Every structure is written in structure tokens, then in C-alpha cells.
Amino acid sequence: LNQVAIQTTDANAITRIQNFNFVKSFEAVATRNSSMQVASKFSWETSGELNDKVLEPNIETTNKYNYGESYNQIHINKGEFLHNLGFSGEGMQLAVLDAGFTNFQTLPTFDSIRNNNQILGTWDFVLNKENLTVAHPHGTWCLSIMAANLPGVFVGAAPKNSYYLFRTEDAPTEFPIEEHNIALALEKADSLGVNMASISLGYTKFDGDIGNHTYADMDGNTTIAARAADLAAKKGMLVVAAMGNEGASQTYKFLSTPADADSILSIGAVDSNGVEAGFSSWGPSSDGQIKPNVASKGYKATIAD
């Protein structure tokens, strides 16, 4: 995106940088220290969700997988139809962008992808290192919906996929630098030949009101995250992003970025009956695009923990 993020303690650095003739614009993307904490950026952390009742019969004799608890979230989009035809993610690579991947090395949910070397690499874009040492479970939950393979207990949507795990979100705080991290991760994914990127993250307001977005900004062309997602799509990657968790808010109910990007799939949350989850953010985007593009089970989803 022709931009660079600089961390400095020099109060005069900003003035000097702005005076360079090759610098078009400048904006703050974070503060070094913040006393503010975001109470809940992830709906799953406070919703107390358990498994939904399976509303349709799971006739395992006709399906390739014995889904167990995850049948209803596979069935709502007829995922078993694709699995039965042999499409379980074979030969595909997917980058998961999230806040952390607690215990992905040890949970039995991921035995298959570990034993078959389907985890192709990791990177922490917040701390700029390879090892994912920050203990946050949200990425693990999202990865499990895709990659789980415990027959009769929990099978995911793409158990044969190969995965890159990228930490872009700094969960205790909320600053625009995290959108910059998304851009870095998508660029890295493109350089690795990744087919798809899953982003269960979204940004609207920030700590200290640094760089807050308005609904007008949700036009697919304004935010760092949306522009990066569209560029990744232009390169040939299928980018999938959550709509956000603002649907129950009294002040802002609309989608978060990068779900506003016009060339990606933005996903709303429903329950097993296809009824909209109250927390799922509203569309359309501010430039009139129909968002979400697709909905799937995001309320009381089966996850590994």
C-alpha cells in the first residue's frame, strides 16, 4: 500500500518525516502505551455459547465424515455435499489471521493437521517473530471450525486443507496498527502462494479515538484493511472476513472493516435455523454493496477449547 509504520520516541520525528518530499500523508496508528482495554472484541468470549441442538438427522451412513457435534454447522451450508464429492480442502492453502492460537500444538482436535504436516508456517506480526507464544484462544477456535478432525466428535469444514497461522491482532488493545498488520499478513500470504485468507477480525473504533472509522469509511476503499483485502483479491486470493459483532450496539450497528471490501466474501452470523445472530453486524456498506455476501453458523458454534 506504499506505506511504512515507524515506532519512535522522538517528538520531532513526525515533523521531519512530513517534510520529506516523497511523503504524501501521515497518520497515527498506535501509542506506545495504553491504559485502555477493550472489554470484548470477540463475541465468543462473553456469549457463553454451548453447542446448538442438532435440528436435522445426521445420517452418517451416507456421509464421508461422522461429524458429531459439528454436523449442524456443516449442514447449514451443505458442506457434507462437497465432502462426499471429495472436496475437503485437498491441495489448498489457507492463511488464518487472528489474535492467537492457544494450544494448537497439543489439542487432539488438530492431530491430523499436525501429523500430516498441514501447518505450513506461523508468524506473529505484532511481535515480529516466528513463534506464536501469545496465549489467546480466538484463532484456535476459528481454526478448529475449519481444520478439526475428530470423527464422531467434531469435524471441520476443511480438514484436508493446509494452513498458515498469522497473528495480526493485539487483543488487549485496539489501534489502527492492527489493520497494518493485516496488510502485512496478506502480502506474506500472497508471497507464499496462499489460495485463501480467513479474517475473523473487524475494526471500527480504537482506543483513545485514534483513527476511529465512521460508517462513511466503510466504502471498501478507505481503510487500510479493506484496501489490502481487495489487493489480495486482485492477486487471486479468496479473502473471507467476518462482518463484525456490532449488531446489538445502540450506537453503531454496521459492518466493520475489512468486511466492507468489495472484492471479498463478508460473512454474517446465524444460528442453526438460519436466524440472524443478534450480535452480527449490519450491511450494506456505505457505498451500497450488499453485505454480508454469505451467512453461516456463528451463534453457539462448535469449537475446540
Side-chain angles (χ1 to χ4, degrees), residues 174 179 202-206 211-214 217-218 246 252 254-257 281:
E174 194 84 309
E179 291 190 50
Y203 301 95
T204 54
K205 306 293 184 184
F206 298 102
N212 280 351
H213 296 314
T214 65
D217 292 336
M218 302 298 162
E246 312 297 334
Y252 181 90
F254 293 98
L255 71 174
S256 55
T257 197
S281 293

Side-chain angles (χ1 to χ4, degrees), residues 54-75 80 84 151-155:
V54 176
L55 300 182
E56 297 191 41
N58 185 2
I59 306 173
E60 297 298 351
T61 56
T62 63
N63 287 330
K64 177 178 179 178
Y65 294 110
N66 183 350
Y67 297 102
E69 296 289 340
S70 59
Y71 173 74
N72 49 353
Q73 69 194 39
I74 296 292
H75 178 68
E80 71 274 27
N84 293 338
V153 179
F154 179 19
V155 179

Side-chain angles (χ1 to χ4, degrees), residues 31 50 100 102 144-145 220-221 247-248 252 257 294:
T31 59
L50 299 174
T102 306
S144 71
I145 290 173
N221 298 305
Y252 181 90
T257 197
V294 184

Side-chain angles (χ1 to χ4, degrees), residues 218-278:
M218 302 298 162
D219 62 358
N221 298 305
T222 298
T223 72
I224 293 173
R227 286 184 284 135
D230 275 344
L231 186 56
K234 184 178 180 180
K235 296 289 187 180
M237 197 183 308
L238 176 59
V239 181
V240 181
M243 279 288 286
N245 302 326
E246 312 297 334
S249 171
Q250 298 301 310
T251 57
Y252 181 90
K253 295 179 177 293
F254 293 98
L255 71 174
S256 55
T257 197
D260 60 309
D262 59 23
S263 299
I264 73 169
L265 281 181
S266 304
I267 315 300
V270 296
D271 66 12
S272 291
N273 292 313
V275 176
E276 177 191 359

